[in-house]
Every structure is written in C-alpha cells, then in structure tokens.
DNA sequence: GAGCACTGC
C-alpha cells in the first residue's frame, strides 16, 4: 500500500506504514487531560450523584484494563514488582488503584500511592477516581502536590502524588511505611524524580536483603545504617511496586527489579503484564527526500492538508517560540490570501507554547465552527503535557529542544536535538484520539530508522548536584554505587560532588555537613539557591533574597502578547535596574505587593499574574524554611551591594566575564543555546567578591585576573 | 534590544 502525495512545492510524502496508536478518550474517561490552566490549585470536593452510580460502574467495566483485573491482583499478590505495559486509553491509571483498594490492599490504614510526573495529572486523575467512587476528593481518594495537599492522613486510602513529592516524603519516611503499594505511572517518561524514586524503591525493597546476611555484628556496631537495613528487611518485604510503562522500556524495568539470580524463572520477583489500549489507526507519511527547511515545509504541509484533505484540525510540532511564531505568521498570511480568493473553508492558526500568555493559550482549546479548520502550531508542550481534542493531522519536524549538560564545563543548556522513535510515535498518536488520523513526518523513512529508540533519560543530561544532595540526605552515602536505572556520566557525579563541597554542603569525605548540607537538602531548590538563602541572614538581606529566590523559580514573569510587543518591552524596561536581573525581579515583586497583588495592575504592566501569585506561595514556603533554620529576618534597606554579595555566595560557580578585556563580571542562573549562547538571569558583580566569598573555588592570579577550577566556556 | 523546550520539589 504505497501512495504518493505531492505537495504544492517540493515537500513530497509517501505513505509508508499504517500503525495503530492512541485512543478514544483519555485513560481517565471523562477527565479533561488538558492542563488545568485556570487554577494553580484545585481541591473542591466532588459531590456524589447517586443517579450516575450505575453508569459509572458500567463505564469502568468497559475499559480494556477490566478484563485483566484478576490477573493484575494475582500478580501483585505473587510478585514484589509488576511491570504493567498499559497502552494509552487502557484505563490503568484510574482503575488499578481501585482494584487494589477493593482487594484489601488498603486495609490496616495502609495507603495505595500512585505517582505522576505532572501536577495536573495527579490532581485530575485523583478527581476522576474520587468521582467514580462517589467520594469527596481529599477523603478516601486524595492527592498531594507542592503547595496543595488534598489528602487526609487518616481517611485517604488512594493517594495520587507527583513523583517529586514521593521523593520528598521519603526524606521523612525512608521506608514509606504508610504505603502498601506504590504505582509509578508514566515511568517510561523517565523524569528525574521518577528515576530517583525507582532507585530508592529498589533499595527499600530488594537491595538490602542480600547484604544483610553477609554482615557481622561487629560491622553492625560500626555501621548504624545497618540497623536501618534490618528494619527495611523486616518491615518492607510486604511493599509492592507497580511500574506502569510503555512497551519499549518494560524489559529494562523488569530486569532492574528482578532480583532472582538463580536462573530459575519460577523464582522471579518481577512480572510483566500487557494491557491493550483503545486505538485508532494513524497513517504515517514520510517525505520522499530530506527537507532542507522544516519551518517552510511545515507551512507548505499545512496548506496542502487544507487544500486536499477532508475536515479535521492540524497539530504541528516545532522546537521553540521563535519557530512557532514564524510559522503562525506565515500561515496567517496565506490564510488571508485564501479568504481573499473566496475559499470556503477558513484557517484559524494558533500558537501554543509554555511562555504564551494564559488567554492566548486557552484559545487552542476552543471549538471551531464547521467551516473553520484549526491549526495549532506548538512546541513539545503538546506531546505529553497538554492534549487538544479533535486533532486529525499531525506534522512532525523530528526535532525538539532538550536540556543538555556538559559535565566538563558544568553548563546546562538547551539544544535542538533529533527526537527519538518513541517521541515520534507519541506525536503521531496525537492525530488519533478521536478518529483515524494522519501524521506527516518532515523526514524520510530512512532518517526515521536512524533515530534513537528513546530519549536519553533526564538523569543522564542534568546537573546532578540537586540529585546527589537529596540522595545524601536520604542516607545514601556512596552515591557512586547507587543503583541508577540508567547511570549518569561519572564526570557529572564528580562535578556535582565538587560543587556541593564548594558550597559547603559536603565535607572533604563527601559526607553531608550538619547543619549546612542537611538544611540545603530541605529546600525545594537547587543547592546554589539554598546556599544563597541560608547565607542571607549573615549578609543582612534575607527579606530581599527570599523574594529573589522565589521570583527566579517563575518562568515568563514578563508577558508580551504578540500584537503589543513594543509596549510590553517599554513596560518591562520600567522595572529594569543597572545591577541586573536579580534586582529587577525584586523590583517587580515589591511593586506587585505594593499594588495589592492586583491582576489588573499586572495586565497593565504586562506581568504574568498567576506566575507572581506562585512566587508569593514559593516565597512563603521558603520563608517558612528559613524560620525553621532560625535565619533572621533582615533587610538591606536599599543597599544593593549586600544583596549582590549574598547572590555571589551561592552562585560563585556560575561566573562569567562580560567582555574579555574588562573586569566586568556577572553571575548567571542558567545558559540557553539558540543561535548563540544566552545567559538567563544575569547580575553584575565585582570580581574581588568571587575570591573573597569563594576562595576555595577561585584564586587570584598574578595580574589580578581570576582563574577558576572550571573550564571556560565563553 | 531581543533573546528564552518541558516538568518538578
């Protein structure tokens, strides 16, 4: 079955294969999987309606996962770990926790914990399950995400939480004593925290069992950790783990968690079960020859679809804001031309990326009249984070902007990278949610075959300093021997250990320092921010620093609607100060508070209202931690230098020279690579401060210039 | 003076 579709210009596709991907409805039927853009926090109780009870029960039984119910329960009973390959639309996320509850896994006050990589997923799936059970959200069924704990320590039996939250919980309850079963959902996404949780759970469940028998009482005396492992052995052999993953990774998870070394499959401690989804076919088309410019090819392909294909909305994937805006404006131009020539069917072209102002984001979810074809041009946000219904055609450029980490320079950056096959299939699947669809890949089938099977896990392309600090705080002394599902580069580990040592979080033996390291680990921030906060009392500016730290956690403080870019830039300059971005942010926050957190004021000054509200919440959490550690509330009373020096005390490792000839130096928060390297959140500092505040990290060279232990990048 | 994938604590 080969069909050639020639586009107007030179992007030519051939139909190459027909795969079944994706589904009717989401895994949580009835739940809007869309990111809840309307509120930061949810938690209003769902009222039980007895009239819908029967139909809910019938709906549950119609889900593909239902016929595997007994098998799943049997496997969970018989194996410590069960890997469930649940295709999209199988109903695994909402149903398996309920099966476990009904089978008695939450007896004796135990809790069934289900993790999700994203906050919205945790809250929306919890909402759906509560509704199915006719329960108030927060009672029998609850959720726990940062800033929003909607669970009852006594009543909640099924708890949905973000994977990051589970790792946090392990800091106070390393054995996860309150849980009988943990289900790691969407484990194939391999987020940083899912991977940390996976390693920790293996340690809790399996790893220690083998060492215990080899240790003598004498060793026990000298290694207090050993008593912990005894506890684990006694108490947590009952803990069950379910790993919900895509097909590709199932074997890897199985091998990781299977502790059976006897070679006798009857002694396996891990099992795999596959649950089919509900799928619509998606035809995949490849270009006949490589595309020289995927931005142009995207525009051509949209127009070709519009002219020759039947009804159905279009979703195009690009890598960043700039590309999205460019394609949107090119398409809008073409759409105007079409309407001038009286084409009956209209095009409505909409951009979608995380930095877009809220109102503009919401437009992609609006329904269009039948005479209008919606075209959404999006970044990777549309691959997993949000779902737009009604998409029938997908255009995939084969690229994505990914975080990369260079352990030699200790620089994290964003780089345009070819996607993986798994990612390409996920994108294609977006065309088949409501009916059969088509996916146009702007690359040849040959090039598709060259793509890597799956995306490199975040763990292997991140700065590991926050990870190592948390592991140390969890009592993992030898992080180099921690059982990582995918071990990160050794150089990244070394780099992280060095940075943590320079920050004073670790001593020369790599042990967590007390109190500095212990306290740093408690902050939900990177170690540099934590250090800066903990030092702020000494510098006499904790009030300002806590605001700056909170503001820097918020992306896109300044919004620029595309028809008002000029005035937005003008407003933005009003807040800017010569010292740099950190003090600019401080200005914005203080002005926001002065204007009673008014949303109208934000709109007038092109500021991100919800972002600022989040900064207020983050600030409160950080303030709470500073109080806990008895960091005094002090203010610099308008003196910028103490604030800048305090910033340097945390960020000295991120120092750069503004110009090779000058003594003008800056500290920065992060680096972004587009056409050039850009540093984000930059502040000017005196080079002498670097030597003064981090003498172990910088040394003064002969001619007054600095040399750092790090390789230079810029 | 425009430049900034996406999450998460």
């Amino acid at each position: 079955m080969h069909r050639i579709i020639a586009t107007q210009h030179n992007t030519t596709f051939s139909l190459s294969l027909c795969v079944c991907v994706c589904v009717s409805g989401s895994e949580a039927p009835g739940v809007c999987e869309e990111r809840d853009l309307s509120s930061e926090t949810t938690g209003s109780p769902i009222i039980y309606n007895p009239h819908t009870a029967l139909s809910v029960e019938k709906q549950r039984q119609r889900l593909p996962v239902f016929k595997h119910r007994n098998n799943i329960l049997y496997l969970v009973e018989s194996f410590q770990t069960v890997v469930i390959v649940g295709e999209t639309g199988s109903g695994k996320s909402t149903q398996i926790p309920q099966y476990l509850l009904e089978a008695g896994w939450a007896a004796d006050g135990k809790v069934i914990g289900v993790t999700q990589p994203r906050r919205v997923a945790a809250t929306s799936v919890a909402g759906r399950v509560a509704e199915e059970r006719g329960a108030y959200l927060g009672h029998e069924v609850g959720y726990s995400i940062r800033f929003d704990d909607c669970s009852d320590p006594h009543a909640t039996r099924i708890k949905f939480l973000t994977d990051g939250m589970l790792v946090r919980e392990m800091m106070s309850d390393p054995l996860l004593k309150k849980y009988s079963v943990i289900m790691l959902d969407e484990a194939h996404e391999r987020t940083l925290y899912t991977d940390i949780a996976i390693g920790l759970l293996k340690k809790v469940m399996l790893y220690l069992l083998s060492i215990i028998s080899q240790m003598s009482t004498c060793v026990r005396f000298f290694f207090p950790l050993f008593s912990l492992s005894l506890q684990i052995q006694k108490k947590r052999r009952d803990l069950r783990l379910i790993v919900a993953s895509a097909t590709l990774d199932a074997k890897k998870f199985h091998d990781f968690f299977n502790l059976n070394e006897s070679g006798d499959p009857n002694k396996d401690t891990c099992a795999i079960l596959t649950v089919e989804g509900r799928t619509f076919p998606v035809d995949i088309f490849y270009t006949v020859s490589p595309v020289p410019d995927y931005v142009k090819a995207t525009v051509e392909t949209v127009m070709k679809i519009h002219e020759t294909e039947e009804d159905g909305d279009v979703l195009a994937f690009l890598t960043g804001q700039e590309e999205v805006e460019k394609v949107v404006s090119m398409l809008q131009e073409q759409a105007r031309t079409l309407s001038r020539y009286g084409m009956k069917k209209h095009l409505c072209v909409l951009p979608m990326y995380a930095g877009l102002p809220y109102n503009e984001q919401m437009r992609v979810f609006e329904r269009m009249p039948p005479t209008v074809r919606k075209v959404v041009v999006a970044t990777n946000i549309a691959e997993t984070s949000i779902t737009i219904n009604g998409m029938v055609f997908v255009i995939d450029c084969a690229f994505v902007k990914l975080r990369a980490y260079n352990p030699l320079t200790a620089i994290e950056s964003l780089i345009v990278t070819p996607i993986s096959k798994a990612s390409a299939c996920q994108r294609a699947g977006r065309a088949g949610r409501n009916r059969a669809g088509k996916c146009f890949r702007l690359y040849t089938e040959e090039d598709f075959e060259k793509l890597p099977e799956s995306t490199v896990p975040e763990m292997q392309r991140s700065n590991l300093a926050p990870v190592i600090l948390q592991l140390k705080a969890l009592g993992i002394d030898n992080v180099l021997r921690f059982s990582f599902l995918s071990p990160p580069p050794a150089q990244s580990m070394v780099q992280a250990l060095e940075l943590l040592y320079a920050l004073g979080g670790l001593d020369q033996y790599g042990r967590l320092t007390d109190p500095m390291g212990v306290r740093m680990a408690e902050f939900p921030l990177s170690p540099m921010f934590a250090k800066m906060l903990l030092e702020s009392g000494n510098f006499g500016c904790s009030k300002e620093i806590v605001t700056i730290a909170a503001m820097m956690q918020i992306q896109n403080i300044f919004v620029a609607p595309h028809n008002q870019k000029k005035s937005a830039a003008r407003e933005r300059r009003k807040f800017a100060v010569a010292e740099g971005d950190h003090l600019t942010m401080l200005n914005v926050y203080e002005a926001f508070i002065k204007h009673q957190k008014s949303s109208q004021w934000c709109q007038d000054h092109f500021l991100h209202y919800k972002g600022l509200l989040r900064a207020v919440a983050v600030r409160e959490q950080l303030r709470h931690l500073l109080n806990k550690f008895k960091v005094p509330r002090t203010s610099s009373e308008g003196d910028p230098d103490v604030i800048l020096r305090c910033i340097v005390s945390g960020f000295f490792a991120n120092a750069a020279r503004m110009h090779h000839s000058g003594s003008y130096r800056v500290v920065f928060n992060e680096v972004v690579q587009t056409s050039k390297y850009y540093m984000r959140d930059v502040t000017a500092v005196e080079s002498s401060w670097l030597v003064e505040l981090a003498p172990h990290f910088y040394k003064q060279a002969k001619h007054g210039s600095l040399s750092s232990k790090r390789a230079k990048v810029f």
Side-chain angles (χ1 to χ4, degrees), chain A residues 239-367:
Chain A
L239 184 68
R240 292 292 191 274
L241 176 63
I242 296 173
V243 181
S245 141
T247 326
L248 206 65
D249 316 82
K251 180 95 173 58
K252 189 173 173 75
F253 286 119
H254 175 271
D255 294 347
F256 183 78
F257 281 109
N258 190 20
L259 248 219
N260 172 21
E261 286 166 355
S262 68
D264 173 5
N266 291 322
K267 289 180 181 163
D268 277 2
T269 65
C270 184
I272 299 181
L273 174 77
T274 301
V275 179
E276 73 284 7
R278 279 189 192 148
T279 61
F280 280 108
V282 173
D283 287 350
I284 307 284
F285 298 85
Y286 293 95
T287 58
V288 171
S289 55
V291 168
D293 176 353
Y294 62 72
V295 171
K296 235 172 91 185
T298 302
V299 175
E300 288 168 13
T301 308
V302 170
M303 295 317 292
K304 192 68 202 170
I305 290 169
H306 190 51
E307 283 158 25
T308 61
E309 298 283 345
E310 78 256 22
D311 285 3
D313 295 340
V314 183
L315 172 62
F317 287 97
L318 289 162
T319 69
Q321 175 178 343
E322 193 183 358
E323 284 173 9
V324 167
E325 294 287 6
K326 191 168 169 192
V327 166
V328 166
S329 71
M330 283 166 84
L331 280 171
Q332 279 169 344
E333 182 60 34
Q334 299 243 17
R336 272 193 293 276
T337 316
L338 282 185
S339 65
R340 266 204 297 280
Y341 288 100
M343 185 158 174
K344 258 197 274 172
K345 184 109 184 163
H346 295 286
L347 270 184
C348 175
V349 188
L350 299 166
M352 181 72 204
Y353 47 85
L356 201 66
Y358 169 75
N359 291 338
E360 294 183 51
Q361 284 194 345
M362 285 316 282
R363 291 187 59 204
V364 306
F365 301 111
E366 283 169 17
R367 281 182 149 246

Side-chain angles (χ1 to χ4, degrees), chain A residues 359-560:
Chain A
N359 291 338
E360 294 183 51
Q361 284 194 345
M362 285 316 282
R363 291 187 59 204
V364 306
F365 301 111
E366 283 169 17
R367 281 182 149 246
M368 297 288 155
T371 54
V372 177
R373 187 197 300 273
K374 181 161 70 178
V375 178
V376 176
V377 186
T379 62
N380 222 34
I381 193 172
E383 195 180 299
T384 46
S385 302
I386 61 151
T387 299
I388 308 160
N389 279 321
M391 291 298 154
V392 178
F393 305 101
V394 160
I395 302 169
D396 171 17
C397 72
F399 289 96
V400 66
K401 221 176 264 187
L402 277 186
R403 175 182 290 148
Y405 181 71
N406 181 342
L408 296 175
T409 56
I411 299 289
E412 258 184 336
S413 53
L414 288 175
I415 293 175
V416 175
T417 320
I419 59 170
S420 63
K421 284 181 188 153
S423 202
C425 290
Q426 176 72 20
R427 288 180 175 188
R430 294 306 200 180
R433 294 189 66 87
N434 302 83
R435 60 173 215 239
K438 289 177 181 173
C439 174
F440 297 90
R441 292 180 172 163
L442 302 179
Y443 41 98
T444 63
E445 186 165 10
E446 201 187 356
D447 285 337
F448 171 80
E449 290 303 331
K450 288 182 203 153
L451 294 176
E453 291 299 324
S454 49
T455 309
V456 175
E458 219 183 338
M459 183 69 83
Q460 294 180 325
R461 47 187 173 86
S462 301
N463 169 11
L464 292 179
V467 178
I468 303 279
L469 185 65
Q470 284 217 312
L471 291 181
K472 293 272 181 188
L474 283 157
I476 316 292
D477 280 343
N478 192 344
V479 287
L480 296 168
R481 285 188 54 198
F482 183 68
S483 45
F484 290 101
L485 180 58
S486 303
Q491 186 61 40
S492 294
M493 301 260 237
V494 172
Q495 185 75 61
L497 290 165
E498 279 178 6
L499 176 67
L500 290 169
Y501 171 69
L503 288 168
L506 298 180
D507 66 16
Q508 54 181 322
Y509 305 106
R511 291 176 308 211
L512 201 65
T513 54
D514 195 355
M516 182 52 86
V518 174
R519 290 177 179 180
M520 276 168 68
E522 273 208 52
F523 280 93
L525 303 172
S526 74
M528 291 186 186
F529 278 109
K531 174 68 188 282
M532 173 181 87
L533 283 160
L534 288 164
E535 291 290 352
S536 64
N538 301 335
F539 284 91
C541 56
S542 66
K543 274 186 173 166
E544 287 83 4
I545 287 293
V546 73
T547 301
I548 289 170
M551 284 292 279
M552 294 188 65
Q553 309 311 310
I554 315 302
Q555 291 95 38
N556 317 113
I557 284 293
F558 300 100
V559 291

